[in-house]
Amino acid sequence: EPSTGPPGAPTPVTAEAGDASVELSWPGAYSPDAPVESYDITWEGGQTTVEGSELHTVVTGLENGTAYRFRVSATNAHGTGPAAQSPQVTPGGEPPGSPGDVSAEVTGNETVTVSWTGAENAVDYLVSAAAEGGAAAPSNRTTGETSLEFAGLEPGATYTFTVTSRGEGGVTGEAATSPSVTMPEIQVGTPGEVAH
């Protein structure tokens, strides 16, 4: 006796913020018993339905600066399956441009100053670091300036820094990455001293 049932959840749902809108995409739901007839999208304050052949939609008329989560469920002849949920997404204004010329400069034994040229429409910047050679990467930081100092870095370790611009409502723009920078090894003993 073949089992008949509604489709599976169309997971994962991806959400891309736009100006007062969000573009959603999802993979086709698993539905061996009958074709998917429609996908239902719901969110706080609204819902929409698209054809079963559509795997994306743009939801418009949203409030900039407000965070939303979207739920997408698939329906076939046997019923509606479980919903897949998007990550939280906040529509915003124009996505900002890319930060320019990211540089990372060793400015002390354990400090690096990361600087860049400002991006169009950016409100602030998210700066993340990656470390090579087993060192721990420092945690992400945000700043409204166009430079940031990272302290407490490990001697001899190599780091790269990525700057992502962020606009109104937290909409993220392009990211740019610095050339890698290697921290100096700590000098032992007094400089200029000759070992006997």
Side-chain angles (χ1 to χ4, degrees):
E1 194 62 8
S3 70
T4 53
T11 178
V13 178
T14 59
E16 186 94 17
D19 184 14
S21 68
V22 168
E23 182 173 356
L24 300 170
S25 329
W26 56 88
Y30 178 69
S31 182
D33 301 320
V36 173
E37 292 170 3
S38 64
Y39 289 97
D40 297 295
I41 299 102
T42 60
W43 64 95
E44 188 69 38
Q47 72 98 39
T48 186
T49 301
V50 298
E51 295 286 321
S53 55
E54 294 282 317
L55 297 178
H56 75 104
T57 189
V58 177
V59 178
T60 55
L62 300 172
E63 199 70 45
N64 278 340
T66 299
Y68 292 89
R69 274 185 201 280
F70 296 86
R71 296 167 67 83
V72 181
S73 56
T75 298
N76 66 14
H78 304 295
T80 300
Q85 184 163 277
S86 78
Q88 184 168 298
V89 60
T90 304
E94 279 292 293
S98 171
D101 304 326
V102 180
S103 68
E105 197 182 343
V106 176
T107 46
N109 264 345
E110 299 179 352
T111 58
V112 163
T113 300
V114 183
S115 47
W116 56 93
T117 49
E120 223 178 323
N121 295 323
V123 176
D124 62 4
Y125 300 91
L126 174 70
V127 185
S128 61
E132 285 164 38
S139 44
N140 293 354
R141 307 261 298 276
T142 46
T143 178
E145 310 292 316
T146 53
S147 71
L148 192 59
E149 185 178 87
F150 280 85
L153 302 179
E154 296 182 38
T158 298
Y159 297 89
T160 51
F161 299 89
T162 300
V163 180
T164 305
S165 50
R166 297 200 305 185
E168 287 297 339
V171 61
T172 56
E174 301 288 315
T177 301
S178 73
S180 60
V181 58
T182 301
M183 302 308 292
E185 298 284 358
I186 297 256
Q187 301 299 314
V188 181
T190 344
E193 186 183 26
V194 179
H196 294 295

